[in-house]
Amino acid sequence: MAFKSSYLQRVYDGLVERNGEQKEFLQAAYEVLESLEPVVAQNPKLEEEGIIERIVEPERIIMFRVSWLDDNGKVQVNRGYRVQFNSAIGPYKGGLRLHPSVNLSVIKFLGFEQIFKNSLTGLPIGGGKGGSDFDPKGKSDREIMRFCQSFMTELSKHIGADTDVPAGDIGVGGREIGYLYGQYKRLRNEFTGVLTGKGLTYGGSLARTEATGYGLCYYTEEMLKCMKNESFKGKTVVISGSGNVAIYANQKATQLGGKVVAMSDSNGYIYDPNGINLDVVKQIKEVERGRIKEYVDRVSGAEYHEGCRNIWTVKCDIALPCATQNELDEDGAKALIANGVMAVAEGANMPSTPEAVTLFQSKGILFAPAKASNAGGVATSALEMSQNSERLHWSFDEVDGKLHDIMVNIFHACDDAAKKYGCEGNLVAGANIAGFEKVADAMIAQGVAY
Ligand code: NDP
């Protein structure tokens, strides 16, 4: 892996030396730095001001013990994280992930991506991310509550409505945000917008639940229209995952005229040639917290296949990976291309491996990178922060309308940046560059020792 710029090479080599074991973080950093080659070449000030070496280093990393009591009264211990990556353009903002695969590398990769994603929204939010290796699967509500309370007892010392505003991510939905918010309020005696994704009765925003999935489809629709004179109408769609992002991506893709035929969880995928009945999926995943395979017991004509990775062998026009990082590899990309896929848009964070992305781009498949196409969630979180500051509630249509406009603007910011730096059509480069420029300007303006 070699950079043309000796400056970028030096910074990346330093990162590898100090963070050699953090493979997800290095993967994310490499992708961004690679896109910045033309920007660094044209702007010597970036090296003079040490912007690249500063932007790859988190402003602060907090790691802590989370001890909690299970239902048998036994002490359990997990590790908690909050990475406050960059506050140049606003308070740190980014989700909390609860999943056994969470480690410092995963949280740093997510926090790093979040800097550029948040910048792309056009809203004043910096980048951060957090979570724990706690596994919510199979835990009782009371265990989840005790874990969240213990986690927040430490986290509350480091966050605040104008400092750092966490939200949900994998394993953190409305239930967990409620427990976390209750504990923050108890400890601080403050009713402030310190978390987003809150319930509607205590400061949440309408359309936040739907926002990432809806936003993904708004971005994809604009990309299809502007780059291929196409739309969702009449298209077959495959969506991996069956969590928050996947469910609302399905809903919006269907509303826009697409037919979603496959969804998955980490065990396997369902295929329904008649179009997936989303009410059934919502009942299983949102109400019963069950497994996706239960779908085939309730809907005739549907099939269940063990193993989630083979979902990409299902023939489709549009693929929306919405589960987790590196879930769509080179083999998956080859299968999609062989079946004539037209567009791939990322709902999850970094779901496509670098090899898969290269393959899509070399074959002229439209490819929407996560930090642009899934930015609707955090954008709507920032709208929730605005409503909390104003002590007001906006209507669903008002929030959804703003989300739509933000996603259309993000697409054009990516497209324009790619054109400006001679890589027209490459939305990966466009997203990285457009997100980077604003943050770099703010960092330069604020001086070195800020
Ligand atoms: P959820 O916890 O609601 O759902 C996650 C889904 O992905 C589940 O179907 C889960 O299956 C599956 N999944 C998780 N880990 C794996 C794995 N290792 N292998 C295969 N499948 C897996 O999370 P979200 O829908 O909120 O998040 C999905 C993705 O979208 C993540 O990458 C997240 O960072 C990203 N994202 C989320 C935003 C949001 O607003 N929620 C905003 C922007 C990005 P199972 O139940 O079997 O674990």
Side-chain angles (χ1 to χ4, degrees), residues 315-389:
K315 185 174 167 51
C316 65
D317 304 303
I318 298 169
L320 305 176
C322 294
T324 195
Q325 63 269 10
N326 293 325
E327 53 161 316
L328 202 183
D329 60 11
E330 195 173 4
D331 288 341
K334 281 183 184 156
L336 284 169
I337 293 166
N339 279 328
V341 75
M342 166 196 297
V344 178
E346 297 185 321
N349 282 311
M350 205 169 74
S352 317
T353 63
E355 296 76 24
V357 178
T358 305
L359 208 54
F360 292 135
Q361 291 178 325
S362 68
K363 300 288 179 192
I365 312 297
L366 297 185
F367 181 76
K371 65 172 70 67
S373 49
N374 76 16
V378 74
T380 307
S381 277
L383 300 179
E384 183 174 329
M385 289 165 72
S386 301
Q387 294 170 75
N388 292 161
S389 303

Side-chain angles (χ1 to χ4, degrees), residues 219-265:
Y219 185 99
T220 307
E221 185 82 341
E222 189 69 9
M223 172 177 81
L224 287 165
K225 183 177 98 183
C226 298
M227 298 177 89
K228 259 204 164 73
N229 199 21
E230 273 288 0
S231 73
F232 268 102
K233 212 169 172 58
K235 302 296 183 302
T236 302
V237 184
V238 164
I239 300 180
S240 63
S242 47
N244 172 265
V245 180
I247 285 175
Y248 293 96
N250 181 327
Q251 189 165 84
K252 185 51 72 178
T254 307
Q255 283 171 12
L256 291 170
K259 180 161 87 165
V260 181
V261 296
M263 290 181 86
S264 61
D265 62 21

Side-chain angles (χ1 to χ4, degrees), residues 131-162:
S132 172
D133 57 3
F134 171 81
D135 186 358
K137 270 199 207 108
K139 304 288 190 301
S140 70
D141 279 0
R142 291 296 191 212
E143 288 177 323
I144 299 279
M145 182 177 79
R146 287 193 292 271
F147 171 83
C148 288
Q149 290 175 340
S150 179
F151 184 85
M152 182 53 88
T153 301
E154 176 60 31
L155 188 70
S156 65
K157 299 169 189 161
H158 311 284
I159 62 175
D162 293 318

Side-chain angles (χ1 to χ4, degrees), residues 20-265:
E21 75 297 350
Q22 296 175 0
K23 61 181 181 12
E24 292 87 0
F25 172 58
L26 291 172
Q27 180 183 336
Y30 186 85
E31 187 221 84
V32 170
L33 298 198
E34 191 182 31
S35 302
L36 296 179
E37 293 267 19
V39 188
V40 166
Q42 289 179 37
N43 300 283
K45 203 167 173 61
L46 294 173
E47 184 170 358
E48 285 160 34
E49 298 284 343
I51 290 297
I52 307 294
E53 51 270 57
R54 283 202 272 155
I55 213 165
V56 296
E57 194 63 31
E59 289 174 15
R60 195 172 297 105
I61 294 177
I62 302 141
M63 281 174 65
F64 49 100
R65 181 180 69 202
V66 188
S67 30
W68 54 280
L69 291 178
D70 68 18
D71 285 344
N72 299 317
K74 193 167 176 302
V75 178
Q76 301 287 340
V77 178
N78 288 98
R79 186 172 288 171
Y81 302 86
R82 187 70 184 167
V83 174
Q84 299 181 330
F85 224 117
N86 194 299
S87 61
I89 64 168
Y92 309 105
K93 180 97 198 85
L96 297 172
R97 176 175 293 192
L98 298 183
H99 194 272
S101 63
V102 163
N103 56 36
L104 187 57
S105 172
V106 168
I107 299 297
K108 278 180 70 181
F109 121 64
L110 291 163
F112 184 66
E113 292 283 290
Q114 199 82 45
I115 303 170
F116 309 100
K117 178 188 306 195
N118 292 3
S119 165
L120 281 171
T121 65
L123 300 168
I125 37 179
K129 198 84 188 187
S132 172
D133 57 3
F134 171 81
D135 186 358
K137 270 199 207 108
K139 304 288 190 301
S140 70
D141 279 0
R142 291 296 191 212
E143 288 177 323
I144 299 279
M145 182 177 79
R146 287 193 292 271
F147 171 83
C148 288
Q149 290 175 340
S150 179
F151 184 85
M152 182 53 88
T153 301
E154 176 60 31
L155 188 70
S156 65
K157 299 169 189 161
H158 311 284
I159 62 175
D162 293 318
T163 310
D164 184 352
V165 184
D169 189 76
I170 291 179
V172 177
R175 174 182 58 170
E176 291 74 19
I177 293 290
Y179 294 148
L180 292 163
Y181 190 75
Q183 183 70 350
Y184 183 87
K185 195 163 59 60
R186 235 167 256 128
L187 292 166
R188 303 288 288 259
N189 197 22
E190 278 176 15
F191 198 104
T192 52
V194 69
L195 292 166
T196 57
K198 298 185 291 300
L200 295 176
T201 50
Y202 61 95
S205 173
L206 286 163
R208 174 59 188 94
T209 307
E210 294 83 356
T212 309
Y214 276 25
L216 171 66
C217 293
Y218 294 147
Y219 185 99
T220 307
E221 185 82 341
E222 189 69 9
M223 172 177 81
L224 287 165
K225 183 177 98 183
C226 298
M227 298 177 89
K228 259 204 164 73
N229 199 21
E230 273 288 0
S231 73
F232 268 102
K233 212 169 172 58
K235 302 296 183 302
T236 302
V237 184
V238 164
I239 300 180
S240 63
S242 47
N244 172 265
V245 180
I247 285 175
Y248 293 96
N250 181 327
Q251 189 165 84
K252 185 51 72 178
T254 307
Q255 283 171 12
L256 291 170
K259 180 161 87 165
V260 181
V261 296
M263 290 181 86
S264 61
D265 62 21

